[in-house]
mmCIF file of all heavy atoms in Angstrom:
data_model
loop_
_atom_site.group_PDB
_atom_site.id
_atom_site.type_symbol
_atom_site.label_atom_id
_atom_site.label_comp_id
_atom_site.label_asym_id
_atom_site.label_seq_id
_atom_site.Cartn_x
_atom_site.Cartn_y
_atom_site.Cartn_z
ATOM 1 N N ALA A 1 -1.195 4.005 -21.537
ATOM 2 C CA ALA A 1 -2.039 4.567 -22.574
ATOM 3 C C ALA A 1 -1.885 3.741 -23.848
ATOM 4 O O ALA A 1 -0.862 3.070 -24.041
ATOM 5 C CB ALA A 1 -1.664 6.021 -22.840
ATOM 6 N N PRO A 2 -2.873 3.772 -24.750
ATOM 7 C CA PRO A 2 -2.780 2.998 -25.985
ATOM 8 C C PRO A 2 -1.518 3.320 -26.771
ATOM 9 O O PRO A 2 -1.196 4.488 -26.993
ATOM 10 C CB PRO A 2 -4.031 3.409 -26.757
ATOM 11 C CG PRO A 2 -5.004 3.808 -25.698
ATOM 12 C CD PRO A 2 -4.172 4.467 -24.635
ATOM 13 N N GLY A 3 -0.790 2.289 -27.178
ATOM 14 C CA GLY A 3 0.408 2.465 -27.966
ATOM 15 C C GLY A 3 1.631 2.913 -27.192
ATOM 16 O O GLY A 3 2.675 3.165 -27.802
ATOM 17 N N LYS A 4 1.529 3.014 -25.871
ATOM 18 C CA LYS A 4 2.651 3.463 -25.060
ATOM 19 C C LYS A 4 3.063 2.411 -24.048
ATOM 20 O O LYS A 4 2.295 1.501 -23.720
ATOM 21 C CB LYS A 4 2.306 4.763 -24.339
ATOM 22 C CG LYS A 4 2.109 5.959 -25.257
ATOM 23 C CD LYS A 4 1.975 7.242 -24.463
ATOM 24 C CE LYS A 4 1.889 8.446 -25.376
ATOM 25 N NZ LYS A 4 1.801 9.713 -24.601
ATOM 26 N N GLU A 5 4.277 2.544 -23.557
ATOM 27 C CA GLU A 5 4.781 1.650 -22.536
ATOM 28 C C GLU A 5 4.147 1.961 -21.189
ATOM 29 O O GLU A 5 3.664 3.067 -20.943
ATOM 30 C CB GLU A 5 6.301 1.762 -22.432
ATOM 31 C CG GLU A 5 7.060 1.353 -23.683
ATOM 32 C CD GLU A 5 6.918 -0.113 -23.971
ATOM 33 O OE1 GLU A 5 6.955 -0.922 -23.017
ATOM 34 O OE2 GLU A 5 6.768 -0.475 -25.149
ATOM 35 N N ARG A 6 4.155 0.979 -20.315
ATOM 36 C CA ARG A 6 3.658 1.176 -18.968
ATOM 37 C C ARG A 6 4.538 2.192 -18.238
ATOM 38 O O ARG A 6 5.766 2.133 -18.310
ATOM 39 C CB ARG A 6 3.633 -0.155 -18.226
ATOM 40 C CG ARG A 6 2.945 -0.113 -16.882
ATOM 41 C CD ARG A 6 2.540 -1.513 -16.455
ATOM 42 N NE ARG A 6 3.655 -2.434 -16.519
ATOM 43 C CZ ARG A 6 3.534 -3.756 -16.603
ATOM 44 N NH1 ARG A 6 2.324 -4.300 -16.655
ATOM 45 N NH2 ARG A 6 4.606 -4.522 -16.643
ATOM 46 N N GLU A 7 3.917 3.103 -17.521
ATOM 47 C CA GLU A 7 4.606 4.224 -16.900
ATOM 48 C C GLU A 7 4.384 4.217 -15.391
ATOM 49 O O GLU A 7 3.258 4.067 -14.911
ATOM 50 C CB GLU A 7 4.108 5.543 -17.498
ATOM 51 C CG GLU A 7 4.729 6.790 -16.896
ATOM 52 C CD GLU A 7 4.085 8.060 -17.414
ATOM 53 O OE1 GLU A 7 2.979 7.985 -17.991
ATOM 54 O OE2 GLU A 7 4.692 9.139 -17.249
ATOM 55 N N PHE A 8 5.439 4.428 -14.661
ATOM 56 C CA PHE A 8 5.368 4.540 -13.205
ATOM 57 C C PHE A 8 4.672 5.836 -12.811
ATOM 58 O O PHE A 8 4.941 6.893 -13.379
ATOM 59 C CB PHE A 8 6.776 4.492 -12.617
ATOM 60 C CG PHE A 8 6.844 4.863 -11.171
ATOM 61 C CD1 PHE A 8 6.365 4.005 -10.192
ATOM 62 C CD2 PHE A 8 7.394 6.068 -10.779
ATOM 63 C CE1 PHE A 8 6.427 4.341 -8.857
ATOM 64 C CE2 PHE A 8 7.465 6.410 -9.447
ATOM 65 C CZ PHE A 8 6.979 5.546 -8.485
ATOM 66 N N VAL A 9 3.794 5.753 -11.812
ATOM 67 C CA VAL A 9 3.030 6.909 -11.357
ATOM 68 C C VAL A 9 3.344 7.271 -9.909
ATOM 69 O O VAL A 9 3.525 8.446 -9.576
ATOM 70 C CB VAL A 9 1.517 6.674 -11.518
ATOM 71 C CG1 VAL A 9 0.730 7.855 -10.965
ATOM 72 C CG2 VAL A 9 1.169 6.450 -12.986
ATOM 73 N N ALA A 10 3.370 6.272 -9.027
ATOM 74 C CA ALA A 10 3.595 6.551 -7.610
ATOM 75 C C ALA A 10 3.904 5.254 -6.885
ATOM 76 O O ALA A 10 3.521 4.171 -7.324
ATOM 77 C CB ALA A 10 2.372 7.225 -6.975
ATOM 78 N N ALA A 11 4.588 5.363 -5.755
ATOM 79 C CA ALA A 11 4.875 4.203 -4.917
ATOM 80 C C ALA A 11 4.848 4.608 -3.457
ATOM 81 O O ALA A 11 5.134 5.760 -3.106
ATOM 82 C CB ALA A 11 6.232 3.598 -5.275
ATOM 83 N N ILE A 12 4.525 3.637 -2.605
ATOM 84 C CA ILE A 12 4.482 3.871 -1.171
ATOM 85 C C ILE A 12 4.998 2.634 -0.461
ATOM 86 O O ILE A 12 4.739 1.504 -0.872
ATOM 87 C CB ILE A 12 3.051 4.235 -0.710
ATOM 88 C CG1 ILE A 12 3.037 4.664 0.757
ATOM 89 C CG2 ILE A 12 2.086 3.081 -0.955
ATOM 90 C CD1 ILE A 12 1.726 5.320 1.172
ATOM 91 N N SER A 13 5.741 2.844 0.609
ATOM 92 C CA SER A 13 6.312 1.739 1.354
ATOM 93 C C SER A 13 5.260 1.058 2.215
ATOM 94 O O SER A 13 4.135 1.543 2.388
ATOM 95 C CB SER A 13 7.471 2.234 2.222
ATOM 96 O OG SER A 13 7.011 3.151 3.200
ATOM 97 N N TRP A 14 5.647 -0.075 2.774
ATOM 98 C CA TRP A 14 4.750 -0.877 3.609
ATOM 99 C C TRP A 14 4.170 -0.073 4.762
ATOM 100 O O TRP A 14 2.967 -0.150 5.054
ATOM 101 C CB TRP A 14 5.548 -2.101 4.084
ATOM 102 C CG TRP A 14 5.084 -2.751 5.346
ATOM 103 C CD1 TRP A 14 3.801 -2.980 5.744
ATOM 104 C CD2 TRP A 14 5.914 -3.303 6.362
ATOM 105 N NE1 TRP A 14 3.783 -3.642 6.945
ATOM 106 C CE2 TRP A 14 5.074 -3.853 7.349
ATOM 107 C CE3 TRP A 14 7.295 -3.389 6.530
ATOM 108 C CZ2 TRP A 14 5.566 -4.476 8.484
ATOM 109 C CZ3 TRP A 14 7.792 -4.020 7.664
ATOM 110 C CH2 TRP A 14 6.934 -4.553 8.620
ATOM 111 N N THR A 15 4.996 0.717 5.429
ATOM 112 C CA THR A 15 4.546 1.497 6.575
ATOM 113 C C THR A 15 3.929 2.838 6.186
ATOM 114 O O THR A 15 3.315 3.492 7.030
ATOM 115 C CB THR A 15 5.712 1.768 7.522
ATOM 116 O OG1 THR A 15 6.696 2.566 6.853
ATOM 117 C CG2 THR A 15 6.345 0.464 7.988
ATOM 118 N N GLY A 16 4.102 3.245 4.931
ATOM 119 C CA GLY A 16 3.671 4.561 4.509
ATOM 120 C C GLY A 16 4.678 5.654 4.803
ATOM 121 O O GLY A 16 4.401 6.828 4.540
ATOM 122 N N SER A 17 5.833 5.287 5.333
ATOM 123 C CA SER A 17 6.829 6.276 5.695
ATOM 124 C C SER A 17 7.536 6.878 4.485
ATOM 125 O O SER A 17 8.093 7.974 4.591
ATOM 126 C CB SER A 17 7.863 5.654 6.635
ATOM 127 O OG SER A 17 8.566 4.600 6.002
ATOM 128 N N SER A 18 7.535 6.171 3.347
ATOM 129 C CA SER A 18 8.222 6.635 2.150
ATOM 130 C C SER A 18 7.265 6.644 0.968
ATOM 131 O O SER A 18 6.487 5.702 0.781
ATOM 132 C CB SER A 18 9.424 5.749 1.826
ATOM 133 O OG SER A 18 10.365 5.748 2.888
ATOM 134 N N THR A 19 7.334 7.693 0.161
ATOM 135 C CA THR A 19 6.594 7.781 -1.093
ATOM 136 C C THR A 19 7.503 8.339 -2.168
ATOM 137 O O THR A 19 8.519 8.980 -1.870
ATOM 138 C CB THR A 19 5.346 8.663 -0.978
ATOM 139 O OG1 THR A 19 5.738 9.990 -0.595
ATOM 140 C CG2 THR A 19 4.377 8.112 0.061
ATOM 141 N N TYR A 20 7.129 8.105 -3.429
ATOM 142 C CA TYR A 20 7.922 8.616 -4.537
ATOM 143 C C TYR A 20 7.032 8.854 -5.740
ATOM 144 O O TYR A 20 6.117 8.074 -6.015
ATOM 145 C CB TYR A 20 9.045 7.649 -4.913
ATOM 146 C CG TYR A 20 10.091 8.278 -5.791
ATOM 147 C CD1 TYR A 20 11.144 8.994 -5.233
ATOM 148 C CD2 TYR A 20 10.025 8.180 -7.182
ATOM 149 C CE1 TYR A 20 12.099 9.592 -6.034
ATOM 150 C CE2 TYR A 20 10.974 8.779 -7.982
ATOM 151 C CZ TYR A 20 12.011 9.482 -7.401
ATOM 152 O OH TYR A 20 12.954 10.072 -8.193
ATOM 153 N N TYR A 21 7.315 9.946 -6.486
ATOM 154 C CA TYR A 21 6.549 10.319 -7.664
ATOM 155 C C TYR A 21 7.487 10.781 -8.773
ATOM 156 O O TYR A 21 8.477 11.454 -8.502
ATOM 157 C CB TYR A 21 5.587 11.469 -7.364
ATOM 158 C CG TYR A 21 4.730 11.278 -6.144
ATOM 159 C CD1 TYR A 21 5.157 11.710 -4.895
ATOM 160 C CD2 TYR A 21 3.483 10.672 -6.242
ATOM 161 C CE1 TYR A 21 4.366 11.542 -3.767
ATOM 162 C CE2 TYR A 21 2.686 10.505 -5.124
ATOM 163 C CZ TYR A 21 3.133 10.942 -3.893
ATOM 164 O OH TYR A 21 2.333 10.773 -2.781
ATOM 165 N N PRO A 22 7.159 10.467 -10.022
ATOM 166 C CA PRO A 22 7.916 11.050 -11.133
ATOM 167 C C PRO A 22 7.481 12.490 -11.365
ATOM 168 O O PRO A 22 6.437 12.941 -10.864
ATOM 169 C CB PRO A 22 7.532 10.152 -12.313
ATOM 170 C CG PRO A 22 6.132 9.726 -11.996
ATOM 171 C CD PRO A 22 6.087 9.572 -10.497
ATOM 172 N N ASP A 23 8.271 13.232 -12.143
ATOM 173 C CA ASP A 23 7.969 14.635 -12.387
ATOM 174 C C ASP A 23 6.630 14.833 -13.091
ATOM 175 O O ASP A 23 6.000 15.885 -12.929
ATOM 176 C CB ASP A 23 9.084 15.270 -13.218
ATOM 177 C CG ASP A 23 10.362 15.460 -12.433
ATOM 178 O OD1 ASP A 23 10.314 15.426 -11.184
ATOM 179 O OD2 ASP A 23 11.418 15.652 -13.058
ATOM 180 N N SER A 24 6.184 13.843 -13.850
ATOM 181 C CA SER A 24 4.954 13.983 -14.601
ATOM 182 C C SER A 24 3.723 14.167 -13.716
ATOM 183 O O SER A 24 2.727 14.744 -14.154
ATOM 184 C CB SER A 24 4.758 12.784 -15.530
ATOM 185 O OG SER A 24 4.725 11.571 -14.793
ATOM 186 N N VAL A 25 3.776 13.669 -12.479
ATOM 187 C CA VAL A 25 2.632 13.776 -11.578
ATOM 188 C C VAL A 25 2.971 14.471 -10.273
ATOM 189 O O VAL A 25 2.062 14.764 -9.485
ATOM 190 C CB VAL A 25 2.023 12.393 -11.268
ATOM 191 C CG1 VAL A 25 1.622 11.684 -12.548
ATOM 192 C CG2 VAL A 25 2.993 11.547 -10.453
ATOM 193 N N LYS A 26 4.240 14.740 -10.024
ATOM 194 C CA LYS A 26 4.654 15.354 -8.769
ATOM 195 C C LYS A 26 3.948 16.690 -8.561
ATOM 196 O O LYS A 26 3.885 17.520 -9.458
ATOM 197 C CB LYS A 26 6.168 15.543 -8.760
ATOM 198 C CG LYS A 26 6.744 15.958 -7.409
ATOM 199 C CD LYS A 26 8.259 16.074 -7.486
ATOM 200 C CE LYS A 26 8.889 14.749 -7.865
ATOM 201 N NZ LYS A 26 10.377 14.845 -7.934
ATOM 202 N N GLY A 27 3.407 16.870 -7.373
ATOM 203 C CA GLY A 27 2.681 18.082 -7.056
ATOM 204 C C GLY A 27 1.207 18.009 -7.377
ATOM 205 O O GLY A 27 0.438 18.865 -6.921
ATOM 206 N N ARG A 28 0.786 17.020 -8.156
ATOM 207 C CA ARG A 28 -0.617 16.860 -8.533
ATOM 208 C C ARG A 28 -1.234 15.591 -7.960
ATOM 209 O O ARG A 28 -2.462 15.505 -7.876
ATOM 210 C CB ARG A 28 -0.779 16.832 -10.052
ATOM 211 C CG ARG A 28 -0.302 18.089 -10.751
ATOM 212 C CD ARG A 28 -0.682 18.080 -12.227
ATOM 213 N NE ARG A 28 -0.040 16.994 -12.957
ATOM 214 C CZ ARG A 28 -0.691 16.051 -13.622
ATOM 215 N NH1 ARG A 28 -2.024 16.058 -13.653
ATOM 216 N NH2 ARG A 28 -0.030 15.107 -14.272
ATOM 217 N N SER A 29 -0.410 14.627 -7.595
ATOM 218 C CA SER A 29 -0.900 13.332 -7.146
ATOM 219 C C SER A 29 -0.349 12.985 -5.774
ATOM 220 O O SER A 29 0.760 13.389 -5.419
ATOM 221 C CB SER A 29 -0.525 12.233 -8.139
ATOM 222 O OG SER A 29 -1.116 12.471 -9.404
ATOM 223 N N THR A 30 -1.136 12.209 -5.023
ATOM 224 C CA THR A 30 -0.727 11.760 -3.702
ATOM 225 C C THR A 30 -1.132 10.305 -3.521
ATOM 226 O O THR A 30 -2.298 9.953 -3.708
ATOM 227 C CB THR A 30 -1.370 12.598 -2.589
ATOM 228 O OG1 THR A 30 -1.025 13.975 -2.758
ATOM 229 C CG2 THR A 30 -0.878 12.124 -1.225
ATOM 230 N N ILE A 31 -0.173 9.463 -3.172
ATOM 231 C CA ILE A 31 -0.460 8.078 -2.858
ATOM 232 C C ILE A 31 -0.543 7.933 -1.344
ATOM 233 O O ILE A 31 0.232 8.543 -0.604
ATOM 234 C CB ILE A 31 0.601 7.124 -3.453
ATOM 235 C CG1 ILE A 31 0.192 5.665 -3.265
ATOM 236 C CG2 ILE A 31 1.979 7.387 -2.871
ATOM 237 C CD1 ILE A 31 1.080 4.678 -4.014
ATOM 238 N N SER A 32 -1.487 7.136 -0.883
ATOM 239 C CA SER A 32 -1.652 6.901 0.541
ATOM 240 C C SER A 32 -2.181 5.491 0.753
ATOM 241 O O SER A 32 -2.603 4.825 -0.195
ATOM 242 C CB SER A 32 -2.594 7.938 1.171
ATOM 243 O OG SER A 32 -3.882 7.862 0.590
ATOM 244 N N ARG A 33 -2.162 5.041 1.991
ATOM 245 C CA ARG A 33 -2.678 3.710 2.275
ATOM 246 C C ARG A 33 -3.311 3.672 3.652
ATOM 247 O O ARG A 33 -2.948 4.436 4.551
ATOM 248 C CB ARG A 33 -1.569 2.651 2.165
ATOM 249 C CG ARG A 33 -0.467 2.770 3.208
ATOM 250 C CD ARG A 33 0.704 1.856 2.854
ATOM 251 N NE ARG A 33 0.312 0.456 2.813
ATOM 252 C CZ ARG A 33 0.981 -0.503 2.173
ATOM 253 N NH1 ARG A 33 2.097 -0.195 1.503
ATOM 254 N NH2 ARG A 33 0.550 -1.759 2.199
ATOM 255 N N ASP A 34 -4.256 2.778 3.798
ATOM 256 C CA ASP A 34 -4.907 2.521 5.067
ATOM 257 C C ASP A 34 -4.840 1.015 5.279
ATOM 258 O O ASP A 34 -5.664 0.266 4.747
ATOM 259 C CB ASP A 34 -6.350 3.019 5.059
ATOM 260 C CG ASP A 34 -7.010 2.916 6.417
ATOM 261 O OD1 ASP A 34 -6.551 2.125 7.265
ATOM 262 O OD2 ASP A 34 -8.009 3.627 6.643
ATOM 263 N N ASN A 35 -3.848 0.573 6.020
ATOM 264 C CA ASN A 35 -3.640 -0.860 6.186
ATOM 265 C C ASN A 35 -4.786 -1.537 6.928
ATOM 266 O O ASN A 35 -5.060 -2.715 6.705
ATOM 267 C CB ASN A 35 -2.316 -1.111 6.909
ATOM 268 C CG ASN A 35 -1.115 -0.823 6.035
ATOM 269 O OD1 ASN A 35 -1.241 -0.648 4.825
ATOM 270 N ND2 ASN A 35 0.058 -0.763 6.638
ATOM 271 N N ALA A 36 -5.452 -0.809 7.809
ATOM 272 C CA ALA A 36 -6.591 -1.369 8.521
ATOM 273 C C ALA A 36 -7.737 -1.690 7.579
ATOM 274 O O ALA A 36 -8.543 -2.585 7.851
ATOM 275 C CB ALA A 36 -7.059 -0.417 9.615
ATOM 276 N N LYS A 37 -7.833 -0.964 6.450
ATOM 277 C CA LYS A 37 -8.875 -1.193 5.458
ATOM 278 C C LYS A 37 -8.368 -1.966 4.246
ATOM 279 O O LYS A 37 -9.123 -2.170 3.294
ATOM 280 C CB LYS A 37 -9.468 0.133 5.001
ATOM 281 C CG LYS A 37 -10.180 0.902 6.096
ATOM 282 C CD LYS A 37 -10.768 2.201 5.567
ATOM 283 C CE LYS A 37 -11.518 2.945 6.653
ATOM 284 N NZ LYS A 37 -12.092 4.220 6.156
ATOM 285 N N ASN A 38 -7.112 -2.371 4.262
ATOM 286 C CA ASN A 38 -6.509 -3.118 3.150
ATOM 287 C C ASN A 38 -6.664 -2.381 1.825
ATOM 288 O O ASN A 38 -6.980 -2.978 0.792
ATOM 289 C CB ASN A 38 -7.118 -4.514 3.040
ATOM 290 C CG ASN A 38 -6.740 -5.408 4.198
ATOM 291 O OD1 ASN A 38 -5.767 -5.165 4.907
ATOM 292 N ND2 ASN A 38 -7.512 -6.461 4.399
#
């Protein structure tokens, strides 16, 4: 955001087996991937 530091939102592993969220978005956001669609 303007005037603020870059903030982590979500991460997902190569296989999709692991995900992680900070408390600011936990329960509201979901990261996913479709490797076949890049």
Side-chain angles (χ1 to χ4, degrees):
K4 293 188 176 182
E5 297 294 320
R6 189 160 52 201
E7 178 186 16
F8 169 73
V9 177
I12 188 167
S13 64
W14 156 40
T15 63
S17 63
S18 300
T19 60
Y20 195 85
Y21 310 90
D23 288 342
S24 59
V25 303
K26 190 178 299 180
R28 300 189 297 121
S29 298
T30 302
I31 187 171
S32 61
R33 66 191 299 159
D34 187 339
N35 288 348
K37 296 181 178 180
N38 291 340

